[in-house]
Amino acid sequence: MYYEFGPSGMKLIEEKDIDPERLTAGYITLSRLKDCYRRFGFSRTTVDQCQEERRYFRSSIAVYEDCCFTTITVTDAAHPQNDEDCIALYVKKNLFLVVDVFDRDMSTSRNFKAAMNRYPVATVSLERLVYAFLDSIIARDNRVLEDLEFRIHKLEEGIFEEKVEEDFNRSLLNYKTDLLYLRNYYVQFMDIAQEFINNENELFSEAGLLYFRIFRDKSERLMQNVTMLGDNVLQLREAYQSMLDVNLNNTMKVLTVISSIFMPLTLITGWFGMNFAYMPILKWKYGIPAVVVLCAAVVAFMVVFMKKKKWW
């Protein structure tokens, strides 16, 4: 589909009716790009790049004399590890073309249509169209990151309340992986915006570069939020390890106290267990009760002593 913007407003046109002198935005499939790239004067290399199976977040922008080209890996911020969508962007004088390389949920198509209707036709420019489309991709990500922040906070509360789930480490690993994906995702947009701001082939007006600066700043803030959440996840891991260490220390403390109490009893029983013929009180009829009372007195003394020293 192609939209032409002119004095009569925005209208849907056919590819053959595109006027190079009028601002046009298009949304086509990869198969269609293979048929029409020569008509638009696009490099065959860019078409081949769209067909590459391996996608990277940090893809560079190819800047030609009359055109800018880039591929964008689009991910769902709520589920970063799911399969990503992929689109390609061509920007020429009076032409903004979005190529649907892979769009599993039709989100790219919806974003394109939303971008076309974002501004009044009378105020539409090439820079505004590109900005509106890019901005529509990340428009809902702030809420997703806020929800993620609350989920991480819940994990932190669980640590302090000692109500940690068994798969806590697995949850931390998933969050860490998600945030790694998202960080690279937003850096990708920052790189693209910066290349547009550089405006090497002078496709954009000086005033229109403001929109790309706004988009770069938005992407940077999202990336900074992701970095902050990543630091929180690392702190959670340290807090969880500290909790485990404290619990282990408490267990060892209890075992040490119990051992300290029974060590004198072991010494006493060791004495009276010696096989000597002339052991004191060995033939005394109150010998056993006396040893029992002695052991009880030693235990009581040890308990009181440790309580006063706050060892227990």
Side-chain angles (χ1 to χ4, degrees):
M1 72 181 79
Y2 294 90
Y3 293 98
E4 183 182 271
F5 299 85
S8 59
M10 181 179 71
K11 62 180 179 179
L12 192 64
I13 63 173
E14 298 292 333
E15 185 177 291
K16 59 184 177 60
D17 298 324
I18 294 178
D19 183 354
E21 300 302 320
R22 293 188 182 277
L23 179 59
T24 304
Y27 180 87
I28 63 175
T29 61
L30 178 58
S31 60
R32 183 57 200 154
L33 175 67
K34 296 176 185 177
D35 296 331
C36 70
Y37 75 93
R38 290 188 181 89
R39 181 182 187 280
F40 291 113
F42 299 149
S43 169
R44 175 67 196 185
T45 304
T46 62
V47 181
D48 294 337
Q49 187 173 339
C50 290
Q51 299 178 83
E52 290 181 359
E53 292 186 3
R54 181 66 177 131
R55 313 284 179 203
Y56 295 93
F57 281 117
R58 299 185 183 182
S59 56
S60 59
I61 296 182
V63 179
Y64 299 93
E65 185 177 351
D66 63 342
C67 173
C68 288
F69 166 80
T70 187
T71 57
I72 299 178
T73 303
V74 181
T75 189
D76 180 1
H79 306 94
Q81 299 184 52
N82 288 356
D83 293 335
E84 304 95 356
D85 295 341
C86 183
I87 58 177
L89 301 184
Y90 288 91
V91 184
K92 294 186 68 173
K93 200 71 173 179
N94 288 328
L95 177 65
F96 174 49
L97 187 62
V98 178
V99 180
D100 176 5
V101 179
F102 176 69
D103 184 9
R104 55 188 169 80
D105 58 358
M106 301 301 294
S107 59
T108 304
S109 176
R110 292 194 299 270
N111 290 336
F112 177 79
K113 291 178 181 178
M116 295 303 101
N117 294 283
R118 178 163 178 171
Y119 296 106
V121 175
T123 65
V124 168
S125 63
L126 179 63
E127 297 84 4
R128 279 192 164 190
L129 285 179
V130 177
Y131 166 76
F133 178 73
L134 293 175
D135 187 57
S136 66
I137 297 176
I138 63 172
R140 294 169 291 277
D141 290 6
N142 266 321
R143 294 182 180 180
V144 174
L145 294 182
E146 187 175 346
D147 291 340
L148 181 57
E149 183 177 1
F150 281 119
R151 293 202 300 272
I152 293 176
H153 180 67
K154 284 291 183 182
L155 288 180
E156 187 176 10
E157 287 182 347
I159 291 176
F160 288 105
E161 295 174 2
E162 296 189 1
K163 296 179 181 179
V164 179
E165 299 178 356
E166 293 183 1
D167 59 346
F168 181 83
N169 281 324
R170 171 60 62 180
S171 297
L172 282 188
L173 179 60
N174 286 334
Y175 283 133
K176 183 179 179 181
T177 304
D178 286 349
L179 293 170
L180 176 62
Y181 272 82
L182 289 174
R183 184 181 184 280
N184 290 332
Y185 179 53
Y186 296 126
V187 169
Q188 166 191 227
F189 287 117
M190 291 170 59
D191 292 342
I192 292 172
Q194 187 58 54
E195 286 293 337
F196 286 152
I197 292 170
N198 293 340
N199 199 22
E200 293 180 30
N201 48 14
E202 299 182 350
L203 284 178
F204 310 112
S205 66
E206 195 63 32
L209 295 180
L210 171 64
Y211 293 99
F212 300 132
R213 294 190 181 97
I214 293 173
F215 180 73
R216 181 193 59 187
D217 292 343
K218 285 185 177 181
S219 301
E220 185 175 3
R221 285 194 296 272
L222 289 171
M223 190 271 290
Q224 290 172 348
N225 288 341
V226 168
T227 302
M228 179 195 68
L229 292 177
D231 293 339
N232 290 345
V233 169
L234 292 178
Q235 292 172 5
L236 275 183
R237 183 183 292 275
E238 294 173 358
Y240 179 62
Q241 187 60 48
S242 298
M243 184 194 74
L244 294 179
D245 293 341
V246 169
N247 290 340
L248 179 60
N249 289 340
N250 289 336
T251 301
M252 295 302 298
K253 182 178 180 181
V254 172
L255 293 176
T256 302
V257 168
I258 294 175
S259 299
S260 300
I261 291 175
F262 283 94
M263 280 176 61
L265 305 185
T266 303
L267 179 63
I268 293 172
T269 56
W271 280 343
F272 287 96
M274 295 179 181
N275 191 19
F276 290 114
Y278 300 104
M279 176 69 67
I281 73 170
L282 184 63
K283 296 183 179 180
W284 183 33
K285 64 178 181 177
Y286 299 111
I288 292 179
V291 172
V292 171
V293 171
L294 176 62
C295 291
V298 170
V299 170
F301 171 77
M302 293 295 293
V303 170
V304 172
F305 178 77
M306 290 183 179
K307 282 286 188 181
K308 286 186 176 181
K309 293 291 185 180
K310 297 183 179 179
W311 293 352
W312 189 18

